[in-house]
Amino acid sequence: MARRNAGRSAATPGRRPEVPRLKVSAGEARRAEQGVRRGALVIVLCVLAVYANSFSGPFIFDDIPNILANPAIRAWWPPQRLFDPPPDAGIATRPMVSLSLALNYALSGYRVWSYHALNLLIHVLAALALFGLLRRTLLSPALRARFGGFATPLATAAAVVWAVHPLQTQAVTYIIQRCESLMGLFFLATFYCAVRGWDSPRGGRWHALAVLACLCGTATKEVMVAAPILVLGYDVAFNQRSIRPALAASPRLYIGLAATLVPLAILTGLTGSQTLHTDQLPVTPIEYARTQPQVILHYLKLVFWPAPLVLDYGWPVAPWFRAWPAAVAILVLVAATLWALRHHPRAGFVGVWFFLILAPTSSVVPLQDLAFEHRMYLPLAGIVAGVVVGGYALLRGRAVATVPLAAVTLVVATALGATTFARNRDYRSEVAIWSDTVSKRPTNARAQLSLGVALDRAGRKAEAARHTAEALRLNPNSAKAQTNHGIGLLEMNRAQEAIEHFRRAIELDPAYVSAHSNLGIALCQLGRLDEGVQQLREALRLDPRCVEAHYNLAIALRELGQVEEGRRHYEEALRLDPRYTMMDAAH
């Protein structure tokens, strides 16, 4: 007689073993469904409450090149327009973001309410996806015995805390950072659909949806590259198998997820040559890498004490003698994650989630900025889930555990939500958010410059001049600071002084369109029309979509008697930006 294995059934290679299911009565199933609905409703209401004051915040910072100065979002057809934003926009590799902005423009033009509404909807859906993912994880065979009876309340608590955490405001209230939240939604949807597929008799359909969500994510932001690896890590940790059996059990899922990285590589390759013009000094991979441990520790601090929150850190490169303590701390955390992954894989997965999602922006690949709070949008989910579930596991059965989870969640969520609500008020105007940033980072030249520009737009010229001058003092090698200080002088009818700053900006960055355009304007104001036209033509050679150059060139050509050519440039300015009228003498 053949001898049977005791306690473990043999699985056929390439097939997923049957997942044991609990048999529940119709009444229990109905109560569970009602609990899920209540949990989802609580999440939605909490998010709406803390972001109720976010709908009037204006376009700021990177919203300007990506939305206001981006003609690609003003029409749905031809679709290839979505892949051709202005050179200083950052969404060339993110057509899903361009598509969402085109939807907003179709709904409300440049009125901000629809942009904020869509950002909030994305965040709500992401919170619900996290709720569903956590609940199904806690009901998985590996965790059902310990957490199954409390899966819905625990998932609700974690999703609420994550959704109302003030660290999320940058990804929700700052419009263009929907790049992060929309990618986060697709990332969480990928996981949710993969888990549903493993636990469903129609697993193939759910896994097809997971691949579709991952594909949409790769067309949203490059961080999505971590999703296929993390899905496999989740499969290994929570379905209690090694890598080869996991791959063999769901081959179509993993082949599909891997295939979604091909469009991402193509998008990155097609737009890799695009040039961004920035105030920031170039950072080498080594400088970036040695600074990131400090940044990551700061992110972790903000998880547990979310203050101060800063729109633009202008984080400096860390010198070697200051970098090593933070590097040692991060190495300890990584080592702890690897140890936990080996001995307690489900706990270790929390650390893997955190570090792997941060890796594309917080490792050795130098980005324009060393620190931005929106990069914590997804990593925060792992930490919050780990604290909520881990805290419950540690306290279960002890006296302190008699305190209802709902009461603890209410206290924590109220404190975090109140901070989020207050933070949203900082976004009420350009002047307010940049004043807040400068008060927290006074040595940030870009923040000083941005506050100066915001004050200038608000008509507060004298204050604006002080801040642009301070930006120039902090970073005299900034082409943007030189140009904007020149613009301020130009507005005070000091064209000759302004010309010196525009020429210096061109020396620093010969391809800086705004410097050429404004130099052309200044020369025309002094009556040097031929020289002015030459600079305006150079601006258009560098960027044929520069509306201000078209408009001012039209005026200069008309004064030179070249009326027909001037009319063509004026019509082109109107085509590029319908808001542009003869009343607009923008610089």
Side-chain angles (χ1 to χ4, degrees):
M1 180 180 293
R3 187 176 180 180
R4 298 179 180 272
N5 291 328
R8 180 176 296 183
S9 60
T12 303
R15 296 186 60 187
R16 182 171 297 277
E18 290 294 325
V19 177
R21 302 175 185 277
L22 292 178
K23 294 182 179 181
V24 296
S25 65
E28 290 174 327
R30 186 165 55 252
R31 284 192 295 273
E33 184 178 347
Q34 290 173 348
V36 171
R37 290 177 179 174
R38 283 194 297 269
L41 180 61
V42 167
I43 293 167
V44 172
L45 292 178
C46 286
V47 175
L48 293 179
V50 300
Y51 283 99
N53 64 336
S54 68
F55 283 76
S56 60
F59 297 114
I60 59 170
F61 207 10
D62 286 339
D63 292 338
I64 310 303
N66 286 289
I67 301 174
L68 293 181
N70 182 6
I73 69 170
R74 297 180 195 141
W76 292 80
W77 198 263
Q80 58 264 33
R81 288 169 58 94
L82 300 177
F83 296 86
D84 190 29
D88 56 347
I91 57 174
T93 60
R94 302 166 182 177
M96 287 298 295
V97 178
S98 294
L99 183 62
S100 71
L101 294 173
L103 173 62
N104 284 131
Y105 185 81
L107 286 173
S108 66
Y110 290 113
R111 289 172 293 174
V112 296
W113 67 266
S114 79
Y115 298 84
H116 285 295
L118 184 52
N119 273 28
L120 190 55
L121 176 62
I122 290 168
H123 188 50
V124 167
L125 293 175
L128 293 176
L130 178 62
F131 166 64
L133 172 61
L134 292 176
R135 179 178 173 275
R136 288 193 167 272
T137 299
L138 295 172
L139 288 171
S140 66
L143 299 178
R144 182 184 295 152
R146 297 187 69 187
F147 304 105
F150 226 52
T152 299
L154 284 170
T156 302
V160 166
V161 170
W162 177 80
V164 304
H165 199 289
L167 197 51
Q168 307 291 52
T169 51
Q170 194 173 94
V172 181
T173 311
Y174 177 12
I175 293 172
I176 195 56
Q177 293 311 332
R178 76 168 55 157
C179 294
E180 198 76 32
S181 58
L182 185 57
M183 181 276 298
L185 171 59
F186 290 131
F187 201 106
L188 293 167
T190 299
F191 266 80
Y192 177 78
C193 292
V195 173
R196 284 295 302 264
W198 290 324
D199 193 35
S200 170
R202 297 180 176 179
R205 297 182 182 181
W206 282 107
H207 285 172
L209 289 174
V211 172
L212 177 61
C214 193
L215 179 63
C216 292
T218 58
T220 304
K221 194 169 183 181
E222 297 79 357
V223 177
M224 198 71 189
V225 70
I229 303 172
L230 275 174
V231 169
L232 178 59
Y234 179 101
D235 195 359
V236 171
F238 291 93
N239 291 327
Q240 299 174 296
R241 73 172 105 249
S242 59
I243 293 177
R244 285 187 179 180
L247 293 172
S250 303
R252 294 180 181 178
L253 171 64
Y254 290 113
I255 291 172
L257 292 177
T260 63
L261 302 181
V262 175
L264 177 59
I266 294 173
L267 284 171
T268 304
L270 288 175
T271 57
S273 60
Q274 227 178 1
T275 301
L276 290 175
H277 296 281
T278 171
D279 292 339
Q280 307 299 87
L281 295 175
V283 178
T284 67
I286 292 177
E287 290 174 330
Y288 195 88
R290 75 169 184 249
T291 305
Q292 285 308 301
Q294 290 183 344
V295 174
I296 294 171
L297 289 180
H298 181 72
Y299 290 158
L300 288 171
K301 184 273 248 186
L302 291 178
V303 171
F304 299 98
W305 189 260
L309 297 175
V310 181
L311 175 66
D312 180 15
Y313 281 91
W315 200 287
V317 173
W320 284 109
F321 70 92
R322 290 182 181 173
W324 71 265
V328 170
I330 293 300
L331 286 174
V332 170
L333 291 176
V334 171
T337 296
L338 294 175
W339 179 88
L341 199 60
R342 178 176 178 83
H343 299 282
H344 305 281
R346 290 175 288 281
F349 182 78
V350 172
V352 173
W353 175 281
F354 175 79
F355 284 113
L356 196 58
I357 294 175
L358 271 183
T361 57
S362 299
S363 55
V364 298
V365 181
L367 303 179
Q368 180 177 341
D369 294 277
L370 284 90
F372 255 133
E373 290 165 3
H374 63 256
R375 295 171 185 168
M376 278 293 290
Y377 187 79
L378 272 179
L380 179 64
I383 298 175
V384 169
V387 170
V388 171
V389 177
Y392 170 79
L394 288 173
L395 298 177
R396 188 178 60 167
R398 301 183 184 182
V400 71
T402 59
V403 178
L405 177 65
V408 176
T409 304
L410 178 63
V411 171
V412 174
T414 299
L416 294 174
T419 306
T420 295
F421 194 85
R423 179 58 175 165
N424 285 331
R425 287 200 293 267
D426 293 333
Y427 285 89
R428 67 188 180 276
S429 71
E430 279 192 285
V431 171
I433 190 62
W434 286 117
S435 295
D436 174 79
T437 306
V438 166
S439 70
K440 295 168 180 174
R441 291 292 187 275
T443 59
N444 183 347
R446 186 168 62 184
Q448 292 280 0
L449 178 61
S450 297
L451 177 55
V453 172
L455 288 166
D456 183 77
R457 288 180 182 144
R460 297 158 63 176
K461 305 293 184 182
E463 294 175 76
R466 288 199 298 272
H467 286 284
T468 54
E470 177 63 9
L472 196 58
R473 185 190 70 80
L474 290 168
N475 187 8
N477 293 322
S478 164
K480 284 188 178 181
Q482 292 284 355
T483 300
N484 279 276
H485 192 63
I487 290 172
L489 292 170
L490 198 57
E491 290 175 343
M492 293 185 286
N493 296 316
R494 296 161 62 180
Q496 189 59 54
E497 295 176 66
I499 285 174
E500 297 176 12
H501 290 280
F502 297 141
R503 292 197 186 280
R504 175 57 180 155
I506 292 170
E507 288 178 13
L508 293 167
D509 185 356
Y512 190 34
V513 175
S514 182
H516 287 283
S517 178
N518 282 284
L519 176 57
I521 295 170
L523 290 167
C524 289
Q525 283 191 6
L526 292 176
R528 298 156 62 178
L529 292 177
D530 290 333
E531 295 177 75
V533 165
Q534 181 181 356
Q535 289 297 325
L536 291 167
R537 290 192 191 279
E538 177 63 12
L540 290 175
R541 184 189 70 80
L542 294 168
D543 180 10
R545 293 176 293 189
C546 180
V547 181
E548 293 82 2
H550 277 294
Y551 172 76
N552 287 289
L553 182 56
I555 295 175
L557 290 171
R558 184 179 60 186
E559 292 185 13
L560 288 171
Q562 301 175 35
V563 178
E564 182 60 27
E565 185 183 357
R567 183 183 63 81
R568 290 198 299 270
H569 282 285
Y570 180 62
E571 290 175 350
E572 181 64 8
L574 289 178
R575 186 190 70 80
L576 290 169
D577 189 347
R579 300 170 303 151
Y580 221 83
T581 68
M582 290 301 291
M583 299 296 294
D584 296 319
H587 297 295

